[in-house]
Amino acid sequence: MNPIFPSILSTNFFDLESRLTEFASNHIDFIHLDVMDGHFVDNISFGPATIPSIRSKFNFKFDSHLMIHNVKKMILKYIESGSDWISFHVETGNQVQENINTVKAHNRKVGLVVNPDTGVETVFPFLPQTDYILLMSVYPGYGGQKFIKSTLGKVKKLKNEIVKSGSHCLIQVDGGINTSNIGELKKSGADLFVVGTFLYNADKIQDTLDKILKKIDGA
């Protein structure tokens, strides 16, 4: 599996098809969808219809990151729309276990998301039941933010707990990732990397993807 998960939040939507074509030709497996509801975060982004629309022309898998307040209400819609992986925020409240069960019952991969100001310990009880943990290295809601360096410590702490518990949970990181920090993230224990602005601002997608992968492989 390619460890780079491009986020299409940063794209110019008039240019989306050409970008997706480049991703497909460069062996990208997953597209990351930043789903925002205007309540949990201020911004609004994609609805469930985005997935079948893209899938009608491309063979990507979809990683839906639900930045939404009422996860229970919407999670089935993203399952039915074709999401392969679904993550939601541990900060949304006390229905975490119920929502994990819903995703697992439909044979999809489930993840929990941790904001920068939330202790990573909050997800420790759920590690045996989750497939991945998404650590936010920026505050959710907007693209183009600067990477928060304290994320490296959270990755290390989470990795230690995963190893200690015998879990097979993967660590995904999202926010401000580029070639200057992705190697450190890999060394700290991260497995998967959501890349948005850095990738979409690149003149040559293929060259940028190659540089990112070299940093990961060299870590």
Side-chain angles (χ1 to χ4, degrees):
M1 180 175 61
N2 194 318
I4 302 172
F5 284 43
S7 165
I8 63 172
L9 181 67
S10 303
T11 193
N12 177 333
F13 284 96
F14 288 102
D15 195 35
L16 178 59
E17 185 172 0
S18 66
R19 291 301 199 191
L20 292 172
T21 300
E22 289 188 78
F23 293 150
S25 65
N26 282 282
H27 311 294
I28 291 295
D29 298 306
F30 276 86
I31 295 298
H32 183 86
L33 295 180
D34 293 294
V35 179
M36 305 177 186
D37 65 353
H39 296 282
F40 185 75
V41 294
D42 293 337
N43 209 349
I44 295 174
S45 59
F46 311 107
T50 304
I51 296 168
S53 178
I54 294 175
R55 188 163 270 153
S56 68
K57 291 193 174 184
F58 296 95
N59 195 33
F60 297 115
K61 294 181 179 178
F62 290 88
D63 172 32
S64 295
H65 168 196
L66 305 185
M67 286 176 266
I68 62 179
H69 179 69
N70 193 339
V71 177
K72 183 179 179 180
K73 179 180 178 181
M74 294 300 296
I75 201 164
L76 273 175
K77 294 183 183 297
Y78 283 89
I79 291 170
E80 291 165 357
S81 72
S83 296
D84 300 279
W85 292 18
I86 299 176
S87 61
F88 59 92
H89 282 256
V90 71
E91 297 90 0
T92 53
N94 59 6
Q95 294 179 323
V96 172
Q97 186 62 61
E98 183 178 353
N99 291 324
I100 288 174
N101 294 344
T102 298
V103 179
K104 300 296 277 186
H106 288 82
N107 297 314
R108 311 300 166 89
K109 300 293 187 183
V110 64
L112 290 178
V113 191
V114 181
N115 277 342
D117 53 0
T118 299
V120 71
E121 301 88 351
T122 57
V123 299
F124 287 0
F126 303 102
L127 290 179
Q129 306 156 62
T130 50
D131 299 293
Y132 63 112
I133 301 296
L134 169 51
L135 296 179
M136 295 300 299
S137 45
V138 299
Y139 287 92
Y142 298 93
Q145 297 179 62
K146 187 177 179 181
F147 177 80
I148 298 172
K149 291 185 178 180
S150 60
T151 306
L152 294 169
K154 293 178 78 170
V155 172
K156 291 176 183 177
K157 190 170 187 177
L158 177 57
K159 191 69 171 185
N160 287 339
E161 183 64 23
I162 288 172
V163 172
K164 179 182 173 182
S165 66
S167 167
H168 298 289
C169 191
L170 297 173
I171 300 176
Q172 184 182 62
V173 184
D174 180 4
I177 295 177
N178 54 47
T179 49
S180 70
N181 53 41
I182 200 164
E184 286 184 281
L185 281 167
K186 178 64 176 179
K187 287 178 183 177
S188 297
D191 304 292
L192 307 170
F193 310 91
V194 178
V195 184
T197 303
F198 182 71
L199 198 53
Y200 283 98
N201 285 347
D203 292 329
K204 295 182 179 179
I205 294 290
Q206 182 175 352
D207 290 348
T208 302
L209 286 169
D210 287 345
K211 289 176 183 177
I212 294 171
L213 287 171
K214 284 179 181 178
K215 288 286 186 179
I216 294 172
D217 292 340

